[in-house]
Amino acid sequence: MTGRLNRAAILASTPLRQALGLMGLVFAILLVTLGFAYVALRSSTEDAIRADLKQQTAVFQVAANPETLSIIVSAEAHASDPAERAIAFVLPDGRQVGNVRVAQQDNQWVVSRHPDYAPLSKHGYYTLKLPLAGGLLLIGESRAPIAELTSTFLAILIFSFVPSVLVSAAYGAWAGMRARRRVSAIEDTLDDLTEGRLDARVPETAIKSARGDDLARIGSRLNRMAETQESTVEALRQVSADIAHDLKTPMQRVSVLLAQLRAVLPEGGKAHQIAVRAGDETEGAVAVFHSLLQIVQIEAGSPKTRFATLDLRALAGDIAELYAASAEEAGGQLVLHDSAQDQARVLGDRGLLGQLLSNLIENAIRHGGPAPQICVEVARRPEAVVLRVCDHGPGIPEAERAQVLRRLYRLERSRTTPGNGLGLALVQAVAGLHEAELSLADNHPGLVVELRFLPA
């Protein structure tokens, strides 16, 4: 498998999450700090504006009558910009002087523009209303300082946050991609080891690229574990191969001697019958040793040198034709379904693939009941060439489907039938050699054995 550095994997990486989390924490602290500062400064500014308003009213309070106060207000109005300071005096007779107009609406005094003066403040006013000289004096200070303060703090917040986000995200993405490459290398190695490729190792670039960090230590330990496991399994395979090889020849000699003994013993006698049974058992033992040696050779990968492009349809047709008579003798039927449409070429060893299909058909005939109905199917999918062998027998319980692929493992109900428990183990070895995906499923009733080959 190859490393998958997609967007979701990078977003899920720990370094990126840590960088964004740290950035979020810093931003929260910055937001709280600026918030307290903003609230304090705004409150101080508002207090200063209100104090200034009260101070300005002292000038007008010296006027004893409406006419004098209206003259003072008019002078102040001409000297003030309504966008900064609004001033208006409503005389007892309803006349108004000032740089703004005021009107009472719903028990509130509303400020509007005076046609002879500049526009009002777009930020509104802090107002102070005082009853003076029988009329009403209204003075307002623009809220522009508060708006400027708010804009300043928002600018500080934005110019502090945006660069932090960009830098943190860039660093997190870089660290996430870098870590993801190394994690993907470790994951790919674990996947290979899980699938039985014990020679898989974490690349040295993923181990030495971080000067002994946690991923480097994990990668190194994984490699040491894989080396130990490979050595152990190889030793066990070698012992199995040596035992099978060393015992195969003596057992063949015993088989020959028993055949000679049967020839000299009178037929029908008890001794002859015992010799015949002993010969059959010996031949079965020789077949077991032969299958074990063949599995070891297949797992070692040596038959790959004989790989060539072949037509799986033609091979399946030949094997199905060969076993059709055996299925009829057992009271059943063997049919071939071909939907590959001349697109079933794969790369492999014809002899081993033929033996694989033969083992599956023999199992189906042997365990398919009194009238085995067997179907061999070859199909083409966009990504694979599919070979299926289906029967209507008792099938294999789901809990035991992984076990039956082990060497010499047999179901309890199959111990009274001929066989040595190596048929499906050989099928798995051949499938692994050809990098084909092997699966066992329920045929309702019966068993479906499916192999998916990469097209040539």
Side-chain angles (χ1 to χ4, degrees):
M1 296 178 66
T2 59
R4 298 170 295 277
L5 299 178
N6 53 43
R7 184 182 305 172
I10 294 174
L11 291 177
S13 65
T14 299
L16 179 57
R17 290 184 174 184
Q18 288 177 341
L20 294 178
L22 181 60
M23 182 271 298
L25 179 62
V26 171
F27 177 69
I29 295 173
L30 177 64
L31 186 63
V32 171
T33 304
L34 288 177
F36 279 116
Y38 172 75
V39 170
L41 286 175
R42 175 170 177 153
S43 178
S44 176
T45 304
E46 290 176 344
D47 291 342
I49 292 174
R50 292 190 177 97
D52 185 51
L53 285 173
K54 291 180 179 180
Q55 186 177 2
Q56 291 180 41
T57 60
V59 177
F60 303 102
Q61 289 177 358
V62 299
N65 56 71
E67 296 300 331
T68 303
L69 182 56
S70 65
I71 293 173
I72 298 174
V73 170
S74 296
E76 183 67 23
H78 283 92
S80 302
D81 184 356
E84 297 178 358
R85 178 179 295 118
I87 183 170
F89 176 60
V90 181
L91 283 76
D93 58 4
R95 291 179 295 129
Q96 294 187 18
V97 293
N99 58 7
V100 295
R101 294 295 189 186
V102 293
Q104 192 171 19
Q105 296 178 2
D106 300 329
N107 296 324
Q108 292 184 349
W109 289 93
V110 178
V111 177
S112 60
R113 182 183 177 183
H114 194 295
D116 296 333
Y117 289 89
L120 303 178
S121 171
K122 61 182 179 181
H123 302 293
Y125 298 92
Y126 286 102
T127 59
L128 180 63
K129 297 180 286 293
L130 290 175
L132 290 177
L136 178 70
L137 176 67
L138 184 145
I139 302 176
E141 284 286 339
S142 173
R143 299 174 62 93
I146 302 298
E148 292 176 0
L149 181 65
T150 303
S151 299
T152 301
F153 270 85
L154 286 176
I156 293 174
L157 189 62
I158 292 173
F159 285 109
S160 299
F161 176 66
V162 172
S164 299
V165 170
L166 295 178
V167 172
S168 300
Y171 171 77
W174 172 80
M177 292 178 63
R178 183 170 176 269
R180 185 62 199 171
R181 290 191 186 96
R182 300 172 64 206
V183 171
S184 294
I186 294 175
E187 289 176 342
D188 293 343
T189 303
L190 287 171
D191 289 342
D192 290 340
L193 292 173
T194 302
E195 294 173 3
R197 293 186 284 275
L198 300 182
D199 58 341
R201 298 291 184 272
V202 180
E204 290 296 323
T205 54
I207 296 176
K208 294 182 178 180
S209 61
R211 299 180 181 178
D213 66 354
D214 51 353
L215 291 179
R217 292 193 299 272
I218 291 172
S220 297
R221 292 182 181 181
L222 178 60
N223 282 350
R224 289 199 297 270
M225 182 198 72
E227 290 171 1
T228 302
Q229 186 176 8
E230 184 181 23
S231 300
T232 302
V233 172
E234 185 59 34
L236 289 174
R237 286 178 178 173
Q238 189 60 45
V239 169
S240 300
D242 291 344
I243 292 175
H245 184 272
D246 292 343
L247 291 181
K248 181 180 177 181
T249 301
M251 292 301 295
Q252 287 176 331
R253 292 173 181 170
V254 171
S255 179
V256 172
L257 292 175
L258 288 173
Q260 293 175 353
L261 179 61
R262 288 198 304 270
V264 299
L265 289 174
E267 294 186 7
K270 187 175 182 179
H272 184 272
Q273 294 177 357
I274 293 175
V276 170
R277 290 178 57 191
D280 293 340
E281 294 293 337
T282 304
E283 289 177 359
V286 171
V288 169
F289 291 136
H290 177 74
S291 296
L292 286 172
L293 284 172
Q294 189 175 20
I295 291 174
V296 171
Q297 292 172 353
I298 291 172
E299 290 177 343
S302 56
K304 277 194 172 183
T305 57
R306 305 193 301 267
F307 274 18
T309 302
L310 58 93
D311 187 352
L312 197 59
R313 297 170 52 257
L315 176 62
D318 293 343
I319 300 298
E321 182 180 358
L322 182 64
Y323 279 93
S326 299
E328 292 177 0
E329 290 176 4
Q333 184 182 17
L334 172 63
V335 296
L336 174 66
H337 288 166
D338 176 14
S339 60
Q341 300 178 351
D342 297 327
Q343 295 182 349
R345 303 189 70 79
V346 299
L347 185 66
D349 181 273
R350 182 179 179 84
L352 290 177
L353 290 177
Q355 187 171 359
L356 174 148
L357 185 54
S358 298
N359 282 8
L360 293 177
I361 294 176
E362 287 176 2
N363 278 347
I365 294 174
R366 185 180 300 120
H367 303 292
Q373 300 296 317
I374 305 164
C375 174
V376 177
E377 180 182 354
V378 181
R380 177 61 192 267
R381 299 290 180 265
E383 74 287 353
V385 178
V386 180
L387 173 66
R388 291 193 190 92
V389 177
C390 312
D391 64 58
H392 295 283
I396 298 176
E398 186 175 357
E400 295 195 70
R401 288 174 190 166
Q403 302 294 330
V404 296
L405 300 177
R406 291 166 43 194
R407 302 177 192 180
L408 304 176
Y409 183 87
R410 305 192 72 191
L411 295 175
E412 191 63 34
R413 65 169 181 263
S414 302
R415 295 189 180 278
T416 57
T417 60
N420 51 34
L422 290 172
L424 288 178
L426 182 62
V427 168
Q428 185 185 41
V430 175
L433 181 70
H434 289 79
E435 299 180 4
E437 180 181 346
L438 171 64
S439 62
L440 308 181
D442 199 339
N443 197 33
H444 306 291
L447 179 69
V448 177
V449 180
E450 179 178 288
L451 293 108
R452 301 176 71 88
F453 296 87
L454 294 175

